[in-house]
Amino acid sequence: MIGNTLAVYALIQARRGTETSSPERAAVRGPSSPGPSSPSRTDPGRTDPGQGRLLDQAIDLLTERLVAYGISRERAEQQTYRLLETVFAPGNTLEEIEALLTALLATPPAAPLPEPRLGGRSRSWMLPPWLWFYLIACLPVGVPGLIGDWIRQATDYWGLMTDSSVGVARTAGIVLGVASITQLFPVLVLLGAMASLLLPASRGRRVERRHDLRVSDNPVIGEIAAFVRRQDPSIAIRFSESSRMLARVYPVGWRKARIAVFLPLTVLWRADREAAEAVLLHEIAHRRQRDQHVVGLASPFTWLVRVWGPIFVLAGLLPITLYATFGGVAGRLLIGQLLVLAVAVPRMLLMPVMALWLAELSADRLAVRERGADVLIRALDRERALPRGRLRRAGGLLTHPPLGLRRKVAEGRFHGLTGLAVAWPATLVVRLVLVSAVALPAFMLIGEDAGAAIAHVFQSIADGLAFDRLILAGSTVLLVVWPWIVRTRHDDRRNAQFIPYALAAVLPLALYSASFLGNVPTG
């Protein structure tokens, strides 16, 4: 047995080396090993070239088939080696060994070979990376201005508290000062995103402890892991018996990620494998978009986005509402401030929420391309059936689009790719609409007449456009160049996606041009 093992090992090593002549491919054997220990029936010191080629073919074929079914190359080579040990077992004659190798070469796969890895295909399913655009462009640009505005407000409120001789005015200053602090929450959101990026390994360990994620020898988990490995070898699988989710991606390093598979997905894998694969493809798409560093399990960024609204209501809106309701001296003025603050949360949340929604819809597009819209809809229906409380579902809407919206987008409604391309620039327009809709009554409540209030509203819009100028320019450029980044060179319809992005780019370009109108001198 030792001699046969050495013989197989020698043949494999000879195959991996440079091409050598037949005399140099001598078999190594033990003193008493029969059969394959004599490599040639005519010359005991040399290997039959035909048998050597047959062995090479068997090694190549077996290894590649195992790799195609999701087994790592190193593991595939080990399994091939073990199988050949059986073929060269003591007692097998050379004729039997040759027959076994020939049968291995001639046997078709038990099932059709899986599809190629996604990495070799077009990335045209990917939407522009608005989530990263928001983190890189919007927050660094917006946060300094936000801090500057808050410092000016805090200075006014501090003066109201210290310089006013009226006690109720001091109270109003305190209420406004506390409420204004909550407007700095975007800074915490940025810090949360930075924490996700800088400590991926620590976050991964925390996720696995919290959800009791572990390696499993369950055959279903093995099949799931093989499927995921075929698409992206950098993703590993961990299993949890929790029933709250299907699957979620999370980082464990700069270039590695894992997918947490929960018990409902293993049930779905047996009941509707295509739907389960669509769920996994959605998570794989997040990995391809590098979203796992920002979203996914235990993400500080998504947690801060979810809690921002409730904290703002409790610390900002509620004190002002109570003060105005109980007839404070500055109640009329605070009602105007209340209107401004009431719209601050949706105005500030619009961009991160839309960026998160578009990241999810982009991941859905990969699942639709690979498995079809009907399959994804079946997976969404299964996700809808998971046990969740109302508060959890409501908070989830800040990071995931409503399931009904995802179904309609998967079916191609909302004008397909054009609607998805226009979604981000439309968000910029909605922000301006919110500012103008609230600014007019707010200015009138502080004593301005209608004409002055309208003038102030237009000035606020001009200032907002000027402040967003870099964001508008960056959005325009990204929409224009994105089709060139993800286009398919050999696709006859490769120009079809240029039109939606070109139409979407018109909107931020128009807003960018309008941002200069406020600087044009009049009359």
Side-chain angles (χ1 to χ4, degrees):
M1 188 62 181
I2 294 175
N4 285 306
T5 301
L6 292 175
V8 174
Y9 179 77
L11 287 172
I12 293 175
Q13 293 302 316
R15 168 187 164 278
R16 290 176 178 173
T18 56
E19 186 67 24
T20 57
S21 61
S22 177
E24 294 174 338
R25 302 183 65 169
V28 180
R29 63 185 184 117
S32 61
S33 52
S37 304
S38 301
S40 173
R41 275 169 281 182
T42 57
D43 188 347
R46 302 190 180 188
T47 302
D48 188 331
Q51 295 174 356
R53 286 193 297 271
L54 189 61
L55 179 62
D56 286 343
Q57 293 173 16
I59 292 172
D60 289 337
L61 181 63
L62 289 173
T63 302
E64 292 305 320
R65 282 186 179 179
L66 291 173
V67 169
Y69 278 104
I71 299 176
S72 67
R73 181 165 293 278
E74 179 181 1
R75 184 68 174 165
E77 290 180 351
Q78 292 175 357
Q79 295 295 341
T80 300
Y81 172 73
R82 291 177 180 176
L83 180 59
L84 291 178
E85 277 188 316
T86 302
V87 173
F88 283 86
N92 292 345
T93 65
L94 288 176
E95 290 78 6
E96 291 173 338
I97 293 172
E98 187 171 353
L100 287 170
L101 292 178
T102 304
L104 287 174
L105 291 172
T107 302
L113 287 179
E115 66 276 2
R117 282 177 50 194
L118 300 178
R121 293 188 176 188
S122 162
R123 296 180 295 173
S124 59
W125 56 270
M126 294 177 64
L127 298 177
W130 296 121
L131 182 59
W132 289 100
F133 179 82
Y134 171 73
L135 294 176
I136 295 172
C138 299
L139 281 178
V141 171
V143 166
L146 184 65
I147 294 176
D149 290 341
W150 179 80
I151 291 175
R152 287 190 293 270
Q153 289 182 11
T155 302
D156 294 338
Y157 300 151
W158 180 255
L160 185 62
M161 288 185 288
T162 57
D163 298 339
S164 177
S165 58
V166 183
V168 291
R170 295 197 192 101
T171 304
I174 294 173
V175 171
L176 290 172
V178 172
S180 67
I181 293 175
T182 60
Q183 297 183 57
L184 292 176
F185 219 83
V187 179
L188 296 180
V189 172
L190 176 60
L191 294 177
M194 292 177 60
S196 295
L197 295 174
L198 296 177
L199 302 171
S202 174
R203 176 182 163 191
R205 290 191 295 269
R206 182 159 57 91
V207 166
E208 293 177 354
R209 287 195 303 269
R210 177 181 177 184
H211 296 278
D212 192 23
L213 293 165
R214 58 189 184 276
V215 178
S216 174
D217 57 0
N218 187 319
V220 174
I221 299 300
E223 294 174 11
I224 291 174
F227 172 79
V228 171
R229 196 182 301 117
R230 288 198 299 269
Q231 317 304 330
D232 191 335
S234 69
I235 301 178
I237 296 296
R238 295 294 183 267
F239 174 65
S240 172
E241 295 181 356
S242 172
S243 299
R244 294 190 303 173
M245 292 175 277
L246 291 175
R248 288 289 188 275
V249 68
Y250 63 96
V252 291
W254 293 106
R255 297 183 178 181
K256 293 183 179 180
R258 289 174 183 164
I259 294 178
V261 171
F262 297 90
L263 186 60
L265 185 68
T266 62
V267 177
L268 183 62
W269 185 264
R270 288 303 188 211
D272 187 349
R273 179 160 178 168
E274 283 190 331
E277 290 177 348
V279 173
L280 294 170
L281 287 168
H282 175 95
E283 300 304 322
I284 292 169
H286 279 309
R287 163 74 176 109
R288 292 201 63 194
Q289 297 172 159
R290 303 295 187 267
D291 296 337
Q292 80 276 3
H293 292 294
V294 184
V295 301
L297 292 175
S299 165
F301 176 78
T302 56
W303 181 82
L304 288 168
V305 169
R306 285 195 298 268
V307 303
W308 185 359
I311 289 177
F312 191 86
V313 170
L314 293 176
L317 298 184
L318 185 60
I320 296 178
T321 303
L322 293 175
Y323 180 88
T325 301
F326 289 105
V329 173
R332 178 182 174 86
L333 299 178
L334 261 66
I335 291 176
Q337 186 67 21
L338 181 64
L339 289 174
V340 175
L341 290 175
V343 79
V345 170
R347 180 172 57 85
M348 293 179 181
L349 280 176
L350 272 174
M351 296 182 72
V353 168
M354 182 54 67
L356 289 167
W357 281 22
L358 290 174
E360 296 295 328
L361 295 174
S362 180
D364 282 349
R365 283 170 58 83
L366 177 62
V368 170
R369 191 189 75 170
E370 296 295 323
R371 293 296 179 267
D374 293 340
V375 175
L376 177 63
I377 290 172
R378 295 204 304 267
L380 295 176
D381 290 340
R382 182 59 65 97
E383 185 173 353
R384 187 194 299 273
L386 294 177
R388 291 179 184 174
R390 293 183 178 180
L391 290 178
R392 185 177 179 85
R393 289 184 183 274
L397 292 178
L398 293 175
T399 57
H400 289 73
L403 294 179
L405 176 62
R406 293 174 65 181
R407 288 170 58 99
K408 293 178 181 179
V409 172
E411 293 169 351
R413 303 186 191 181
F414 305 111
H415 304 286
L417 181 58
T418 302
L420 293 174
V422 172
W424 178 260
T427 304
L428 304 176
V429 175
V430 173
R431 291 174 72 239
L432 290 176
V433 172
L434 286 175
V435 172
S436 59
V438 174
L440 182 59
F443 282 127
M444 295 183 69
L445 283 171
I446 63 175
E448 293 187 354
D449 57 37
I454 292 174
H456 274 151
V457 168
F458 280 109
Q459 186 59 46
S460 298
I461 294 174
D463 293 342
L465 287 172
F467 183 77
D468 290 340
R469 195 172 289 161
L470 182 60
I471 295 173
L472 294 170
S475 300
T476 304
V477 172
L478 184 55
L479 285 167
V480 170
V481 304
W482 187 250
W484 295 90
I485 295 175
V486 299
R487 68 175 181 172
T488 308
R489 295 182 179 180
H490 303 292
D491 188 352
D492 294 335
R493 299 187 307 156
R494 62 181 180 274
N495 295 322
Q497 61 181 351
F498 283 80
I499 296 176
Y501 287 112
L503 293 174
V506 172
L507 191 53
L509 180 61
L511 294 175
Y512 177 78
S513 302
S515 68
F516 293 95
L517 298 179
N519 299 329
V520 178
T522 59

